Amino acid sequence: MYQKTVLPNGVRIITEEIEHIRSVAVGLWVGAGSRDEKEGYEGISHFIEHMFFKGTKNRTAREIAESLEAVGGQLNAFTTKEYTCYYAKVLDEDIDLAMDVLNDMFFESLFDEKEIEKEKRVVIEEIKMYEDSPDEIIHDLFSDYVWNDHPLGRPILGTEESIKGLTREKILTYMDQHYAPDNLVIAVAGKIKHEDVLNKLAPVYGQFKRGGRRVLEGTPVGRKVQKMIPRDTEQMHLIVGVPGLGQEDKDLYPMHIINNILGGGLSSRLFQEIREQRGMAYTVFSYHSTYVDTGLFAIYAGTTPTNSQEVVECILAEILDIKRNGITAAELERTKSQIKGGLYLGLESANSRMSRLGKTELTYNRVISPEEVVEKLEQVTIEDVQRVVNQLFTRDRISLLMLGPAGNEVDVEATLAKIGWTD
């Protein structure tokens, strides 16, 4: 299935051979995200991701951009709250080129002062674009308010002020601390052999030394929030949510079931009730963000401001219905099949398999196979779902954040009382 080698300095190299395809995906997974940023460094993880594409000792920014496109490949990166990934996807015959480009970016990026100043302007424009998208920024605002200034709640992009304060010295200091062997997983999936990959990468990554394993700030304590952010928008954007579960929590799989039943797709309760039956929203969905030691469960909807009360009431009523009446056996089996199908369908490319290798190894210190996920999912019972719903969704944990035209505020406590939520 997959093979793993840990180099003497701690770098982990994991591969999965897929003989029947012609592509290969390579990813460098670094355990450094916005959660790791102390005061004065906000947004630096994402900024470093940008700077890796701005020139090395061996390639200009344009040559980096053209390198893999010239052979039909892809080169990209992304930053999350807990990790950063740099990845390439190419034909198997071009794997040496992909590895060489990624190696060059990882070890030889220049971080030129002029490029840093230029990229600051680019990232500030990205922040402004994001702030102009209320349906996107409300999720960052929600986590920030619930986690009350803990680093996990801060925006990945940083702020305009924090980006202006970044320097080359800060970048190099941050990389020395976090871009360390113990914090790096190299994942490769596709038409490859483990020994071939190891022979190419071990000489490059086996010698470098920086920092050490990350030390995270304490677990954030979620607080209850009711807040209205006035903004001149056509829709009211709102989130109802509660603090969730960390990645090692035994109840994570019942949580996935609850998420899918409430707002995980077109057949979910909230989509059917709010959009299909009442026609009050185009977009309504739920999600559960899982981190090392905590999580966040949220339900989002965008609606006409005058419908805000009814939408919030509907969301809370659906949760209360599950608390009081549970879910049906048919719902449970249908949801298990939905999650299982989505899991396997999402693994039909080298890139998705590489991502599973890298993400699970980096976050769990081991690869979690799809079969293990399905096995744990199948073990979830109706009683498990009921227990987790009752544990998470209590009156003193429910938050409501609204962003939109003033004068349409919803009182969450009054709404809970109206629908008879007494616990």
Side-chain angles (χ1 to χ4, degrees), residues 119-263:
E119 204 59 27
K120 284 183 184 181
R121 298 195 293 271
V122 172
V123 173
I124 288 170
E125 290 301 321
E126 185 179 0
I127 292 171
K128 290 178 178 179
M129 180 180 70
Y130 195 60
E131 290 176 345
D132 278 344
S133 304
D135 57 328
E136 294 186 10
I137 197 170
I138 191 172
H139 303 284
D140 273 353
L141 292 171
F142 185 70
S143 64
D144 187 25
Y145 287 126
V146 170
W147 283 329
N148 195 22
D149 296 329
H150 187 280
L152 194 57
R154 295 174 189 158
I156 294 168
L157 299 182
T159 64
E160 184 172 345
E161 181 181 4
S162 68
I163 296 303
K164 287 179 178 179
L166 296 182
T167 63
R168 188 174 191 273
E169 182 181 1
K170 283 185 176 180
I171 290 171
L172 296 179
T173 298
Y174 187 82
M175 287 190 63
D176 281 342
Q177 293 171 345
H178 298 285
Y179 277 58
D182 281 347
N183 252 0
L184 177 62
V185 172
I186 306 174
V188 187
K191 194 172 184 180
I192 45 88
K193 299 289 185 183
H194 183 76
E195 289 305 317
D196 292 341
V197 171
L198 197 59
N199 289 337
K200 297 175 191 298
L201 295 180
V204 180
Y205 289 89
Q207 304 301 317
F208 90 102
K209 296 180 180 179
R210 288 185 191 137
R213 278 199 183 273
R214 75 199 309 184
V215 178
L216 295 176
E217 190 170 321
T219 301
V221 178
R223 61 171 180 164
K224 181 172 180 174
V225 173
Q226 173 157 354
K227 187 172 182 64
M228 171 71 189
I229 303 174
R231 187 166 295 188
D232 187 17
T233 58
E234 292 297 320
Q235 282 193 310
M236 179 67 74
H237 302 270
L238 57 90
I239 289 182
V240 175
V242 294
L245 306 176
Q247 65 189 25
E248 297 287 359
D249 198 294
K250 62 181 177 59
D251 288 327
L252 197 57
Y253 290 91
M255 182 79 258
H256 290 322
I257 298 284
I258 295 164
N259 177 48
N260 270 52
I261 288 175
L262 272 174

Side-chain angles (χ1 to χ4, degrees), residues 16 34 40 52 57 84 132 194 211 241 266 288 314 335 361-362 374 377 387 396 422:
E16 182 176 2
S34 57
F52 265 34
K57 293 178 182 178
T84 306
D132 278 344
H194 183 76
L266 303 184
H288 183 258
C314 183
T335 302
E361 173 63 35
L362 188 64
V374 170
L377 192 67
R387 174 173 47 77
D396 62 338
T422 56

Side-chain angles (χ1 to χ4, degrees), residues 69-107:
E69 284 190 2
V71 296
Q74 302 169 3
L75 179 66
N76 213 329
F78 61 88
T79 305
T80 73
K81 291 181 181 290
E82 293 189 322
Y83 55 83
T84 306
C85 176
Y86 306 88
Y87 65 94
K89 183 179 180 181
V90 292
L91 291 176
D92 58 331
E93 63 194 47
D94 297 312
I95 185 174
D96 286 354
L97 173 63
M99 289 181 176
D100 186 57
V101 173
L102 287 171
N103 298 347
D104 195 24
M105 292 165 62
F106 192 84
F107 289 110

